[in-house]
Amino acid sequence: NGATWSDAEKKKRLLVLVNPAAGKGNDVSAYERDVAPVLECAFDRARIDVVVTTRRGEAQERVASMDLQNTAAVVCVGGDGTIAEVFNGLMSRGGAAEKFPIGMIPAGSGNAIAKSLAHAGGEPCDRASAALAVARGHIAPAGNGDAAATAATASVMHSLLSFSWGFFADVDIESETMRWLGGLRFTIQAIVRILFLRRYSAKLRFKPLAITPDAVPAGKKSKELAIGQEPKEAAAVAAMDGASAGDAIADRPGWREIEGDVQGLWALNLPWGGEDMYAAPGAAPDDGCYDLLVIAGASRLSLLGLLLIFDGGAHCTHPAVTYVKASAFELDPGPSHTGKGGFIAVDGELVARADGKWGRTRRQARSPSH
Ligand code: ADP
Ligand code: MG
């Protein structure tokens, strides 16, 4: 649409957070070249505050304490993880901050949120086009921000994009040392993970959404998700759904279960899982559900086949894939047969499991060098 900033908004400041660790190495010169001139079409240079973060978590902290009254928007120059920090910083404030405009300049190796927004607006996904959208004041709902990963993770993280586990999260987290490859890091690590396939014994329960649009109950737009190995966490979701704690799946009307050799789960709130992964073609940010992609019982060969068709969305009908919209889900990740992997990621960021496994410490040990 043709929305533009009001004169009053234009008199406010713009906070630009550049993540130098994102993508192939994201320096200020690229910002100065591709983004700044476009933003200056709408905002005075003197009103644009550019901050290059010096460590992870800094963007979140700055946003949690910034002056919202005198700021028109926060602009992230980075990937999905940078946006996640900004979004969680805003969510931690509550109230109007939860709807505060975030500008997204794709400069990471995973730019799924920027790609989904660009795709929806019929725009290319590049820095200058994204800057133009910010300068024009295009504001689109990127998610209703109601998804929080939850009970069995050690901390709550608000999510705009995705929840992933197993194959999908392992690829994402274990490829972080290859950021310099850009989006190719996912393809290469996926091949590694297929060759050295991990098997998990997981249990996934979900409540599929009926196909009719009015099947989304009014006033129950929010999405709840829970993961865990403790029955009490499973009960949290069951209780929200009106069933009593500890119910067997048979006692939960409308719920389904996939158990056993489940290799990976990717729950998406937006259609693009990466710039060239049309992972969940049916996903919309405000439809009150997650699009679940589950791979179970797949051979190496069929996983390789899957990898080749991910960019166009054809994986959804692949026999090894269950693709379903769900208004609620819960995952018991179970142990990995090799004792490795089984990461859980929210918006591509590693979250610690409540059992203390695979927490942040692993990640902090790596120093971002690009
Ligand atoms: P990519 O798409 O390449 O993964 P992200 O935007 O996801 O890029 O950012 C990667 C990680 O960098 C995120 O976990 C973010 O918290 C972290 N980060 C942000 N600023 C810095 C910094 N100055 N140094 C190191 N890491 C940072
Ligand atoms: Mg990332």
Side-chain angles (χ1 to χ4, degrees):
N1 60 37
T4 44
W5 296 107
S6 68
D7 288 342
E9 293 290 309
K10 281 187 183 179
K11 293 211 174 72
K12 295 182 176 179
R13 309 193 71 83
L14 210 56
L15 174 61
V16 178
L17 295 167
V18 180
N19 176 355
K24 299 182 181 184
N26 185 25
D27 55 40
V28 195
S29 62
Y31 166 80
E32 288 291 346
R33 188 186 61 228
D34 301 335
V35 182
V38 186
L39 295 183
E40 285 163 21
C41 298
F43 290 85
D44 251 22
R45 192 178 180 97
R47 291 208 181 88
I48 305 179
D49 304 312
V50 182
V51 174
V52 181
T53 60
T54 56
R55 57 183 169 79
R56 76 172 291 144
E58 185 184 336
Q60 182 162 347
E61 286 162 25
R62 281 187 180 263
V63 166
S65 62
M66 67 183 277
D67 173 10
L68 293 180
Q69 285 303 318
N70 295 308
T71 308
V74 188
V75 178
C76 311
V77 184
D80 297 317
T82 310
I83 298 163
E85 278 202 29
V86 167
F87 182 59
N88 278 278
L90 290 169
M91 291 299 282
S92 72
R93 302 173 68 138
E98 297 182 1
K99 299 273 180 237
F100 196 77
I102 306 175
M104 301 171 183
I105 309 295
S109 42
N111 301 308
I113 298 174
K115 172 70 184 190
S116 296
L117 285 174
H119 177 84
E123 303 277 349
C125 183
D126 58 51
R127 292 178 210 231
S129 306
L132 196 57
V134 174
R136 283 180 183 147
H138 279 186
I139 295 180
N144 38 12
D146 47 11
T150 65
T153 54
S155 57
V156 169
M157 186 173 162
H158 297 280
S159 158
L160 285 172
L161 173 65
S162 63
F163 171 96
S164 57
W165 161 81
F167 182 81
F168 297 110
D170 295 356
V171 166
D172 197 342
I173 300 303
E174 291 175 344
S175 66
E176 285 185 341
T177 48
M178 300 187 285
R179 281 219 171 82
W180 51 277
L181 285 172
L184 196 59
R185 72 174 165 105
F186 302 114
T187 312
I188 291 182
Q189 189 62 24
I191 292 169
V192 171
R193 281 278 57 89
I194 290 169
L195 294 178
F196 301 94
L197 194 61
R198 293 177 182 142
R199 302 224 164 246
Y200 302 100
S201 309
K203 189 190 281 180
L204 172 70
R205 293 169 159 191
F206 57 96
K207 191 171 188 202
L209 195 74
I211 307 300
T212 50
D214 47 1
V216 187
K220 197 174 183 278
K221 261 201 143 183
S222 89
K223 299 166 225 188
E224 309 291 349
L225 59 97
I227 47 175
Q229 299 172 306
E230 308 284 319
K232 64 178 193 306
E233 275 120 21
V237 172
M240 279 182 272
D241 206 53
S244 62
D247 272 354
I249 196 76
D251 300 327
R252 290 199 215 168
W255 281 73
R256 282 173 55 197
E257 189 171 76
I258 298 178
E259 200 178 356
D261 184 17
V262 188
Q263 287 149 316
L265 166 69
W266 203 0
L268 288 123
N269 193 30
L270 290 171
W272 292 84
E275 262 175 275
D276 50 7
M277 280 179 281
Y278 198 27
D286 48 4
D287 60 1
C289 59
Y290 271 88
D291 283 34
L292 305 187
L293 274 182
V294 189
I295 3 180
S299 67
R300 285 194 177 85
L301 198 61
S302 75
L303 282 174
L304 273 176
L306 263 179
L307 197 61
L308 297 175
I309 55 178
F310 239 94
D311 55 343
H315 58 283
C316 295
T317 53
H318 190 279
V321 172
T322 302
Y323 177 52
V324 63
K325 278 187 169 309
S327 58
F329 69 90
E330 55 187 62
L331 172 75
D332 174 349
S336 138
H337 292 186
T338 55
K340 287 193 184 130
F343 292 104
I344 288 174
V346 173
D347 291 12
E349 294 292 291
L350 183 63
V351 293
R353 284 167 50 157
D355 58 13
K357 283 185 184 146
W358 309 305
R360 290 243 182 241
T361 43
R362 225 178 201 230
R363 170 111 166 219
Q364 276 167 347
R366 293 178 199 145
S367 60
S369 51
H370 300 285

